[in-house]
Amino acid sequence: MGPRPAGPLTVDAGSPSMPPVLLEVNGVTLQYKTPRHLVTATYQVDFSVQQGDRYVILGPSGCGKSTLLKAVGGFMPPVEGTIRIRGHAIKAPGPDRMMVFQEFEQLMPWKTVFQNVLFPMKVTRKFTRAEAVARANAAIEKVKLTQFRDIYPHMLSGGMKMRVAIARAMALEPDILLMDEPFAALDALTRRTMQQELLSLWDQLHFTVLFVTHSIEEAILVGSRILVLSPHPGRVRAELDASKLDFSNIDTPEFGAMSKRIHNLLFGDERHRARVSEEATP
C-alpha cells in the first residue's frame, strides 16, 4: 500500500469528559475477491467507538459499510491496519461482539422467548445451567418482556422481536452490538416505530451499538456519532456529533442543517463533477 493521504476528516468536538474507548479501527483497508476481480471495499479507515456509543456508519451502497461490520465481527481480516476491542486485536468472531440481524427473523419460531434467549448460552457453555437460566430471565426482564416469557415469536410485534434479539445478545454480556441495516426492508411506518423502540431500549440500558445504514435521516435519529464514508472504496469523509438530535427536534433547522451537511459530504463531489462536465460541453 502507498502512503496514507491526509483525507478530509473533520471531527466535531465532543464532551471534555469522554467515556472510555471500546473499539478502535486504525487505518483499515478491506478487500475481497470476486470471480474476476480483487475488490477494495474500504481504504485506510479510522474511527473509535466509546462505551455507550450509538455509533453509525453511513454511506452509499458499495462503500464497504457492511464489510467493515463483518471485519469488526471477526469474519474477515484487514489487509492493512488493525481492529482492536478493549485493546486486543480482533482475529476471529467472539461473544464480546454480537450481531443483531435484519428484521430479527433469526429468532427460532419453534422456541419461546425464554428458550430463544437461553439458546446461545447453552451452545457456548459459558455458564452453568442455573446461571444461564438466571441470566436469560434477567435479560428478558431488562427489555420488559417478562410477561411474554413463554410466548412464541409469531405472536410478538416487530418491536418485541427486536427486544428479544437484543436480550438474547445481551445475556452473553457482549461489549458491543453490531446492527447491519436492521430496518432497511421495513415499510416507512414500521421502520419509524422500530427506530423509536431501539432508542427507548438504549435509554434504559445504555448498551454500545455499531449501526450501519444508508439513510441520512436514520443515521441522525439513531446515532450519537456518525461516520460518513465516501463512495467505493469507502474512505472517511467526516465524523459528526449527532447526540443532540432525535425525534423531538426532527423538524428543526438544526436537524435540517445536519441532514444537508451529510448530503453535501456524500454527494458534493458528484455535483461538482456534473457541473464541470456541463461547463466543458460546447
Side-chain angles (χ1 to χ4, degrees):
M1 295 290 176
R4 296 184 59 186
L9 174 62
T10 59
V11 182
D12 286 6
S15 166
S17 56
M18 303 295 285
V21 172
L22 176 65
L23 176 73
E24 297 173 276
V25 176
N26 296 315
V28 166
T29 298
L30 297 169
Q31 295 178 333
Y32 60 88
K33 292 182 179 179
T34 70
R36 295 185 178 183
H37 303 286
L38 178 64
V39 178
T40 299
T42 68
Y43 185 66
Q44 297 182 338
V45 169
D46 294 289
F47 66 91
S48 61
V49 178
Q50 296 161 351
Q51 189 76 42
D53 254 346
R54 302 188 313 272
Y55 199 95
V56 173
I57 301 176
L58 171 68
S61 296
C63 73
K65 304 183 300 295
S66 296
T67 308
L68 267 172
L69 210 65
K70 290 176 184 177
V72 171
F75 296 102
M76 63 182 302
V79 296
E80 180 185 27
T82 59
I83 305 176
R84 298 180 181 275
I85 188 162
R86 295 195 184 278
H88 300 288
I90 291 175
K91 297 180 179 179
D96 53 353
R97 290 148 284 135
M98 295 296 292
M99 182 75 78
V100 179
F101 295 98
Q102 191 174 100
E103 294 188 73
F104 319 109
E105 295 303 332
Q106 74 271 30
L107 299 179
M108 290 171 280
W110 61 91
K111 291 184 180 291
T112 64
V113 166
F114 170 76
Q115 291 167 339
N116 267 285
V117 175
L118 184 67
F119 182 74
M121 291 183 285
K122 291 175 63 177
V123 171
T124 60
R125 299 182 181 180
K126 185 178 178 181
F127 307 102
T128 66
R129 167 72 183 180
E131 289 172 337
V133 168
R135 295 180 71 84
N137 284 325
I140 292 168
E141 182 179 1
K142 283 181 180 178
V143 299
K144 302 189 183 303
L145 287 176
T146 300
Q147 62 181 319
F148 301 97
R149 178 185 183 278
D150 299 317
I151 297 297
Y152 290 91
H154 74 274
M155 303 172 70
L156 302 175
S157 69
M160 288 177 177
K161 288 180 182 179
M162 180 180 68
R163 287 174 176 262
V164 176
I166 291 177
R168 184 172 67 174
M170 293 185 66
L172 285 171
E173 287 190 344
D175 289 322
I176 190 167
L177 296 183
L178 309 177
M179 304 185 78
D180 188 5
E181 302 202 56
F183 312 139
L186 303 177
D187 64 85
L189 183 60
T190 305
R191 183 172 186 159
R192 180 59 53 88
T193 300
M194 298 295 276
Q195 291 164 349
Q196 291 171 327
E197 284 272 359
L198 177 63
L199 292 177
S200 174
L201 194 56
W202 185 87
D203 283 338
Q204 298 165 33
L205 305 177
H206 288 278
F207 50 87
T208 307
V209 59
L210 183 60
F211 189 103
V212 162
T213 183
H214 63 267
S215 165
I216 294 175
E217 181 184 82
E218 181 168 77
I220 300 171
L221 289 172
V222 169
S224 54
R225 289 194 292 152
I226 304 169
L227 188 78
V228 182
L229 295 182
S230 70
H232 170 84
R235 305 175 190 235
V236 174
R237 282 277 171 85
E239 183 187 89
L240 307 174
D241 181 1
S243 58
K244 296 180 180 179
L245 299 171
D246 55 29
F247 285 97
S248 68
N249 49 31
I250 192 171
D251 295 321
T252 63
E254 291 77 14
F255 196 102
M258 176 66 79
S259 180
K260 183 177 180 181
R261 180 179 181 187
I262 294 173
H263 189 276
N264 288 339
L265 285 165
L266 289 173
F267 306 112
D269 286 352
E270 292 180 12
R271 291 203 309 270
H272 175 71
R273 285 194 295 268
R275 188 167 60 248
V276 170
S277 177
E278 289 175 4
E279 291 172 354
T281 302

